[in-house]
């Protein structure tokens, strides 16, 4: 009972802080055992997964799993809400349809992992490694500041703020200073997403929405922007060198601070 209450309190705290600034590090001791230790072994996690079924997926809500090597595990539809997975190795793991709402994945290794259709609401993923990961159709309202998604896929994913459901403040993905080189973001919703100082070199933004996105200082050198919607996007000091399909972009004339773009 006490554990459930504590998790509920933590969950509300995470959402409230994310909504206000998506910066909850200031109030959390990231060196505490709760954030850096594991209460289960890989073998125990595997046993939990083995006992799961389609109707009753594995539930690891609130579990401390930081630092474990869970590479290659099939965690499809596993519930990892509020779980701590800081510096956990999940390279090549399958997390399709997994629930990672309010989970902690600071510096986690998700290289080549599959997170198709996963839910990442209010997740803390600063400096996470997602190179080559597949997040097709995922719902991502996470803090990915400084994360690496080189060659990753977020096609058809939803990272933008849902303005119909913002009673607690602006909740959207934060990709500030993230490495998104060669990212496949075809038809992704990146509206109002924070992409300041992110590298989008060679990214495929075909059909993506960047409406009201923050792109100050971002590098879009060689990015494909066919049918990309720029309405309201802030382009202050953004690099837009040798873009592909700019003449076919949508609402580029309605972007903010176009005169402050770096074109060469």
């Amino acid at each position: 009972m006490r554990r459930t209450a504590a998790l509920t309190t933590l969950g509300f705290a995470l959402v409230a802080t994310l909504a206000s600034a998506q910066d909850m590090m200031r109030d959390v001791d990231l060196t505490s055992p709760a954030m850096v230790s594991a209460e289960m072994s890989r073998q125990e996690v595997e046993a939990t997964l083995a006992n799961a079924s389609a109707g009753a997926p594995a539930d690891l809500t609130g579990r401390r799993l930081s630092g474990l090597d869970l590479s290659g595990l099939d965690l499809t539809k596993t519930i990892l809400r509020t779980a701590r997975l800081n510096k956990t190795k999940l390279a090549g793991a399958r997390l399709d349809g997994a629930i990672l709402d309010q989970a902690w994945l600071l510096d986690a290794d998700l290289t080549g992992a599959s997170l198709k259709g996963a839910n990442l609401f209010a997740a803390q993923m600063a400096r996470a490694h997602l190179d080559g990961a597949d997040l097709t159709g995922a719902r991502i309202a996470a803090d990915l500041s400084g994360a690496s998604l080189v060659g990753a896929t977020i096609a058809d994913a939803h990272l933008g703020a849902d303005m119909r459901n913002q009673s607690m403040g602006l909740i959207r993905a934060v990709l500030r200073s993230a490495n998104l080189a060669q990212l496949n973001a075809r038809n992704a919703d990146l509206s109002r997403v924070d992409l300041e100082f992110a590298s989008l070199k060679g990214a495929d933004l075909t059909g993506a929405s960047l409406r009201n996105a923050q792109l100050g200082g971002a590098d879009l050198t060689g990015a494909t922007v066919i049918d990309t919607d720029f309405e309201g996007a802030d382009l202050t000091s953004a690099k837009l060198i040798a873009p592909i399909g700019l003449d076919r972009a949508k609402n580029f004339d309605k972007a903010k601070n176009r005169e402050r773009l770096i074109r060469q």
Side-chain angles (χ1 to χ4, degrees):
M1 192 78 171
R2 215 176 272 175
R3 177 191 175 106
T4 301
L7 287 175
T8 300
T9 301
L10 176 62
F12 282 125
L14 300 191
V15 173
T17 310
L18 176 71
S20 61
Q22 293 197 321
D23 177 19
M24 53 201 208
M25 313 300 179
R26 62 190 177 191
D27 299 318
V28 177
D29 181 2
L30 298 177
T31 65
S32 68
M35 302 304 291
V36 301
S37 65
E39 60 181 311
M40 298 175 73
S41 65
R42 178 185 172 104
Q43 291 70 30
E44 289 173 321
V45 172
E46 289 177 327
T48 299
L49 297 174
N51 290 324
S53 65
D59 191 343
L60 294 168
T61 297
R63 290 290 190 172
R64 299 194 310 274
L65 304 169
S66 294
L68 287 181
D69 186 349
L70 304 178
S71 301
L73 287 187
D74 187 350
L75 293 148
T76 299
K77 295 186 178 180
T78 297
I79 301 170
L80 289 154
R81 189 177 288 110
T82 70
R84 269 81 93 199
L85 295 145
N86 300 318
K87 295 187 177 181
T88 298
K89 294 181 180 178
L90 290 155
R94 187 175 177 184
L95 291 138
D96 297 340
I99 306 298
L100 288 150
D101 296 345
Q102 301 167 30
W104 291 80
L105 294 119
L106 304 177
D107 298 290
D109 183 0
L110 291 137
T111 304
S114 181
L115 295 104
K116 296 177 183 177
N119 284 305
L120 295 152
F121 176 80
Q124 291 299 310
M125 302 179 72
R127 302 176 304 281
H129 302 278
L130 291 127
D131 297 340
D134 190 347
L135 294 105
T136 300
R139 180 65 180 97
I140 309 165
D143 187 344
L144 285 147
S145 299
S148 181
L149 289 92
V150 176
T153 296
I154 59 169
D156 299 306
H158 301 276
L159 294 85
D162 182 355
M163 300 313 293
R164 298 167 300 178
N165 185 26
Q166 295 293 328
S167 60
M168 295 179 292
L170 188 62
I171 301 174
R172 41 66 192 279
V174 173
L175 290 152
R176 186 185 296 255
S177 300
N179 188 350
L180 310 173
Q182 306 301 321
L183 179 73
N184 175 2
R186 295 176 69 92
N187 300 311
D189 178 7
L190 295 159
S191 55
R192 293 185 170 81
V193 168
D194 185 346
L195 289 156
E196 290 189 338
F197 304 105
S199 173
L200 287 149
K201 291 182 179 180
D204 186 352
L205 298 164
T206 301
S209 173
L210 289 169
R211 293 170 67 94
N212 299 302
Q214 295 171 289
L215 288 157
D219 189 347
L220 290 93
T221 300
T224 299
V225 293
I226 297 171
D227 291 327
T228 305
D229 192 346
F230 282 92
E231 183 173 351
D234 188 347
L235 299 172
T236 303
S237 298
K239 292 181 181 179
L240 194 62
I241 302 171
I244 298 171
L246 184 59
D247 58 328
R248 294 173 57 188
K250 294 180 180 179
N251 299 311
F252 188 67
D253 60 324
K254 297 179 181 178
K256 298 177 182 176
N257 299 309
R258 283 190 304 144
E259 71 284 358
R260 299 179 66 181
L261 271 171
I262 298 172
R263 305 296 289 268
Q264 59 181 6

